[in-house]
Amino acid sequence: MTGTRRDDIAANLDEVSRRIDEACLAAGRDRRDITLIAITKTYPASDVDILASLGVTDVGENRHPESADKRAAVTAPLTWHFVGGLQTNKAAAVTAYADMIHSTDRAKLVRALSRGAEQAGRAVRCLVQVRLSDTEGRAGVEPPGARQLADEIAGCESLVLGGVMAVASLGVDPRPELERLALVAAQIRSDHPAATTISAGMSDDFAEAIAVGATHLRIGRSILGERPSLR
Ligand SMILES: *Cc1c(COP(=O)(O)O)cnc(C)c1O
């Protein structure tokens, strides 16, 4: 690990923090209501160590077992988020180390997560991933099905319903989609008042996400640099 890498990450983190403060000010929101999750997928465990030493408390990964390996290699006490598409047969393994699963998008996955969390003896927070656009391949449950999926998560003893998550479309104004997410979040909150998490906002749209009420930002590239093009 070079001093240079640490300096780069520190500078990026400062800049992101400044922009979060600015967006909070513009939206009239309290910065303390927002959690920054550094998305560390494709980056080494040594970068996670650097982030932890710079005061980052939350990190996110999108693939098992890469995420499990990194989790095992890092000793700093962090909150670990799983934000990627999850196959049912990997669900139990992920519940053993993830504190919050953002990508809960179907009843079958809820049942698998529930069994895994029960076996692991852990209470795992789950977010309903909501699909906001018709774009081919976008994951998530359609908004009309989100409430029911939320009920299913809330009905599992070993799972905690945290709220909602979405990935807004790239290359278009993200606000209409993010506003739709805020509406779904409010509906779910009316049934489950403790489900206050809104996970939205990535490198390109986190200011807009803050404006519509996001509580958890998932930021990768702006902190760690461009990833190789594959993911
Ligand atoms: C990669 C990823 C992010 C972070 O995206 P950046 O553009 O690098 O900030 C956020 N959410 C999910 C679900 C991701 O897969």
Side-chain angles (χ1 to χ4, degrees), residues 16 25-26 30 54 65 72-73 86 88 95-96 98 110 115 120 150 154 179 218:
V16 166
L25 198 63
D30 188 335
L54 292 169
L86 192 47
T88 310
T95 58
V110 172
R115 280 193 300 273
E179 278 162 14
R218 308 179 310 265

Side-chain angles (χ1 to χ4, degrees), residues 88 91 106-113 115 149 152:
T88 310
R106 58 200 190 278
K108 197 175 167 205
L109 180 59
V110 172
R111 289 192 291 273
L113 290 168
R115 280 193 300 273
L149 195 63
E152 288 181 31

Side-chain angles (χ1 to χ4, degrees), residues 9 27 64 173 195 230:
I9 293 176
H64 180 81
D173 180 0
L230 260 185

Side-chain angles (χ1 to χ4, degrees), residues 5 9 13 36-52 56-63 66-71 74 78-84 97 203 217-228 231:
R5 180 65 177 151
I9 293 176
L13 200 55
L36 168 63
I37 305 170
I39 303 295
T40 49
K41 63 186 182 197
T42 77
Y43 288 100
S46 55
D47 280 357
V48 180
D49 289 331
I50 291 173
L51 288 166
V56 168
T57 56
D58 290 64
V59 294
E61 286 285 326
N62 74 333
R63 283 192 189 197
E66 175 192 346
S67 46
D69 296 343
K70 231 175 276 183
R71 173 73 186 81
V74 172
L78 292 165
T79 298
W80 288 78
H81 298 260
F82 192 88
V83 304
Y97 60 84
S203 288
L217 312 176
R218 308 179 310 265
I219 303 182
R221 288 174 296 124
S222 296
I223 297 171
L224 293 162
E226 292 296 329
R227 292 176 293 271
R231 323 188 201 185

Side-chain angles (χ1 to χ4, degrees), residues 71-193:
R71 173 73 186 81
V74 172
T75 54
L78 292 165
T79 298
W80 288 78
H81 298 260
F82 192 88
V83 304
L86 192 47
Q87 291 165 17
T88 310
N89 63 359
K90 293 181 179 170
V94 173
T95 58
Y97 60 84
D99 300 298
M100 193 179 327
I101 292 172
H102 292 232
S103 44
T104 320
D105 62 356
R106 58 200 190 278
K108 197 175 167 205
L109 180 59
V110 172
R111 289 192 291 273
L113 290 168
S114 172
R115 280 193 300 273
E118 198 180 322
Q119 277 160 21
R122 309 177 73 230
V124 178
R125 290 181 85 80
C126 292
L127 306 180
V128 175
Q129 182 169 358
V130 183
R131 181 180 153 110
L132 297 175
S133 81
D134 298 331
T135 316
E136 191 89 37
R138 277 258 176 267
V141 60
E142 301 283 343
R147 263 172 123 158
Q148 192 185 336
L149 195 63
D151 290 345
E152 288 181 31
I153 295 169
C156 294
E157 244 172 66
S158 50
L159 303 180
V160 178
L161 174 66
V164 298
M165 175 274 210
V167 178
S169 299
L170 296 172
V172 297
D173 180 0
R175 277 171 296 192
E177 291 185 11
L178 291 168
E179 278 162 14
R180 214 146 60 231
L181 178 67
L183 207 63
V184 175
Q187 287 168 348
I188 289 175
R189 229 169 27 239
S190 72
D191 300 332
H192 307 279

